[in-house]
Amino acid sequence: MAVSLLKKRLAKDRSARAVMFTLTVLSLLLLVVMGVGLYLKSEMILDEYSLWTLLTTADWKPLKGSFGFLPFIIGTLAVTALSILIALPISLLTALYLSEYAHSWTKRVVFPVLDILAGIPSVVYGVWGTLIIVPWIADTLGPHFVDYTSGYTVLASGIVLGVMILPVLVSLFIEIFTIVPQDYRDAAASLGATKWQICYKVILRKSMPGIIAAVVLAISKAFGETIAVLMVCGNYAGIPRSLFDPCYPLPALIANNYGEMLSLPLYESALMFAAFILFFIILVFNFASRLLLQRIEKRYKL
């Protein structure tokens, strides 16, 4: 009887392992299938133009046969970088306050608000940006720096996108900080460390790999955000020279043009190539972030 039960348990264990391995392989294959599919859809534009020409030229006139993706790549990187610069310090300090300083009643109020902010549809953020942020930049902030700006700018896109990823980062950081053992805090306090020194020297140091992983997740989300950015970026196919210039990120380009341009095969292939560029950027960024995370883990010996 005991031998029979043992065999059943071992069989269940092997079955569970096989199922999990299969699902893991399928998830990896899904990534490969997506990349190959986008590449195959982009072959027409790659046969007509060299990769160097597509990536390094700024002339975008599809109906005349000019497909320069440089403005869209720069716009994507600029908006994403600005959103992280805005959201990261705010979310990091907010999470430190909520996890280390705030009273319990403050947490009971703030946590549901963060959940609500994280669940708001992106189009609502886009409407908020159009009604509040764009006029503020055009009428109040912009005139102090440039002669004229419409408000539909890199800055507006970065602010809206930064606000969108803010609740996600705060929630992730709080989870990461709560994992740090209380013994570490007590040991630092017994040596005379102040609250801020504990946060800076102990919690942030111990949480660094998790912080990097959370930022990578937020950046990956920011890269692909479409509707909210599309509504405030200006949709101008030119290289932005300042924060007060309009831009045209890759997701906005695809969302704006894909449906109505299916009748033009070369144009459709160009849009698929834009999707492939975005896919490749995110893939390379995540791979580089993994390498950085491994080096940080070795440095802090975690």
Side-chain angles (χ1 to χ4, degrees):
M1 187 69 178
V3 175
S4 176
L5 291 174
L6 179 60
K7 288 182 178 180
K8 288 182 180 180
R9 291 175 57 187
L10 292 175
K12 290 180 179 179
D13 183 65
R14 285 193 294 267
S15 300
R17 184 186 305 172
V19 169
M20 288 186 286
F21 176 77
T22 302
L23 293 176
T24 302
V25 172
L26 287 176
S27 64
L28 295 176
L29 285 177
L30 179 61
L31 184 66
V32 174
V33 169
M34 289 174 60
V36 172
L38 290 174
Y39 174 77
L40 293 176
K41 283 287 189 178
S42 307
E43 274 191 320
M44 183 180 293
I45 192 74
L46 291 172
D47 291 338
E48 291 286 332
Y49 304 93
S50 68
L51 181 63
W52 179 258
T53 300
L54 292 172
L55 296 180
T56 59
T57 56
D59 191 19
W60 179 261
K61 296 177 181 176
L63 298 181
K64 296 182 179 180
S66 297
F67 295 93
F69 286 91
L70 185 60
F72 308 105
I73 296 172
I74 293 178
T76 302
L77 296 176
V79 171
T80 303
L82 182 60
S83 67
I84 292 299
L85 288 175
I86 292 172
L88 181 57
I90 297 174
S91 58
L92 199 58
L93 293 175
T94 301
L96 280 174
Y97 171 76
L98 291 174
S99 62
E100 304 300 322
Y101 291 89
H103 296 290
S104 58
W105 64 268
T106 305
K107 297 178 183 179
R108 287 196 298 269
V109 173
V110 175
F111 286 173
V113 173
L114 290 175
D115 293 337
I116 293 172
L117 289 174
I120 292 176
S122 60
V123 67
V124 176
Y125 284 102
V127 172
W128 168 74
T130 303
L131 297 178
I132 305 297
I133 302 300
V134 169
W136 174 69
I137 292 175
D139 301 331
T140 305
L141 183 64
H144 294 289
F145 298 94
V146 294
D147 294 333
Y148 170 77
T149 178
S150 65
Y152 293 92
T153 59
V154 175
L155 181 59
S157 304
I159 292 174
V160 171
L161 192 54
V163 172
M164 286 184 63
I165 64 177
L166 186 65
V168 177
L169 279 175
V170 172
S171 299
L172 289 173
F173 287 157
I174 290 175
E175 293 296 326
I176 292 166
F177 295 156
T178 53
I179 295 175
V180 178
Q182 183 62 36
D183 292 345
Y184 286 22
R185 297 175 175 83
D186 296 338
S190 66
L191 295 174
T194 63
K195 196 73 171 179
W196 171 245
Q197 287 174 326
I198 294 174
C199 292
Y200 177 67
K201 296 290 187 179
V202 178
I203 297 175
L204 289 181
R205 180 183 176 88
K206 196 67 178 173
S207 305
M208 190 57 65
I211 291 172
I212 298 296
V215 172
V216 170
L217 180 63
I219 293 177
S220 298
K221 174 181 171 61
F223 267 129
E225 185 52 52
T226 305
I227 298 300
V229 175
L230 182 150
M231 296 173 69
V232 298
C233 68
N235 299 322
Y236 172 70
I239 298 176
R241 306 294 179 182
S242 74
L243 295 178
F244 297 97
D245 287 341
C247 62
Y248 209 163
L250 287 167
L253 170 70
I254 299 168
N256 260 341
N257 297 281
Y258 185 70
E260 61 190 43
M261 293 302 170
L262 291 179
S263 59
L264 303 174
L266 191 61
Y267 202 162
E268 180 189 2
S269 180
L271 295 177
M272 290 298 96
F273 182 64
F276 181 73
I277 293 173
L278 189 62
F279 175 84
F280 185 75
I281 290 174
I282 295 175
L283 194 65
V284 171
F285 172 77
N286 278 270
F287 180 73
S289 301
R290 269 292 139 198
L291 295 178
L292 176 62
L293 186 58
Q294 289 177 1
R295 298 185 106 189
I296 290 175
E297 288 175 343
K298 290 180 181 178
R299 178 181 175 184
Y300 290 103
K301 298 179 181 179
L302 295 176

